[in-house]
Amino acid sequence: MADNLCGGLPPDICEQLNKEEQFIKIKLEKRRYGKEVTVIEGINSNDADLKKIASELKSKLAAGGTVKNGRIEIQGDHREKVKDILVKLGFPAENIMVIE
């Protein structure tokens, strides 16, 4: 499927182009009993990539989390740290919006 979108470009260049097209929103949601969850939306990739990114975030933040409905949920308020980690993973900083 990725070959059709990239028209024969090398896989690493195709992956970088896909990352640059995505607009990611990072926000904080309150759950029951005052628990806070950082939600990352807008990463358009298959479930394996989302789980890989979620695993990377969870290990670097030392927090629990999950992938639900095409979005990543991390326990606690980690909005700025998540943005820094996503930039290091290759997502452009100007396409990541942290909602206060």
Side-chain angles (χ1 to χ4, degrees), residues 3 8 32 34 37 46-47 61-62 70 81 84 87 89 91 100:
D3 293 333
R32 290 194 302 183
V37 177
N46 59 23
D47 286 337
L61 298 170
K81 294 176 193 170
D84 294 340
V87 169
L89 289 175
F91 293 95
E100 298 298 324

Side-chain angles (χ1 to χ4, degrees), residues 1-15 17-18:
M1 184 171 103
D3 293 333
N4 296 339
L5 296 174
C6 295
L9 288 174
D12 51 344
I13 294 175
C14 181
E15 182 179 332
L17 286 173
N18 288 337

Side-chain angles (χ1 to χ4, degrees), residues 9-70:
L9 288 174
D12 51 344
I13 294 175
C14 181
E15 182 179 332
Q16 186 62 34
L17 286 173
N18 288 337
K19 285 182 179 181
E20 289 177 3
E21 291 175 355
Q22 298 176 24
F23 188 74
I24 301 171
K25 291 183 229 174
I26 303 170
K27 62 184 177 180
L28 186 70
E29 288 184 359
K30 296 260 187 185
R31 298 286 166 92
R32 290 194 302 183
Y33 312 115
K35 302 282 184 185
E36 295 178 333
V37 177
T38 303
V39 178
I40 301 108
E41 296 177 325
I43 299 177
N44 300 329
S45 58
N46 59 23
D47 286 337
D49 288 343
L50 275 179
K51 288 181 180 179
K52 186 173 130 189
I53 293 169
S55 176
E56 182 82 17
L57 289 170
K58 291 189 301 185
S59 67
K60 291 200 186 280
L61 298 170
T66 187
V67 176
K68 283 186 185 174
N69 302 327

Side-chain angles (χ1 to χ4, degrees), residues 65-100:
T66 187
V67 176
K68 283 186 185 174
N69 302 327
R71 61 189 210 164
I72 301 172
E73 299 178 1
I74 305 290
Q75 296 172 354
D77 183 4
H78 301 285
R79 290 174 288 189
E80 292 301 324
K81 294 176 193 170
V82 166
K83 181 177 180 179
D84 294 340
I85 294 170
L86 288 176
V87 169
K88 288 179 185 171
L89 289 175
F91 293 95
E94 56 271 1
N95 289 359
I96 301 174
M97 185 170 83
V98 178
I99 300 171
E100 298 298 324

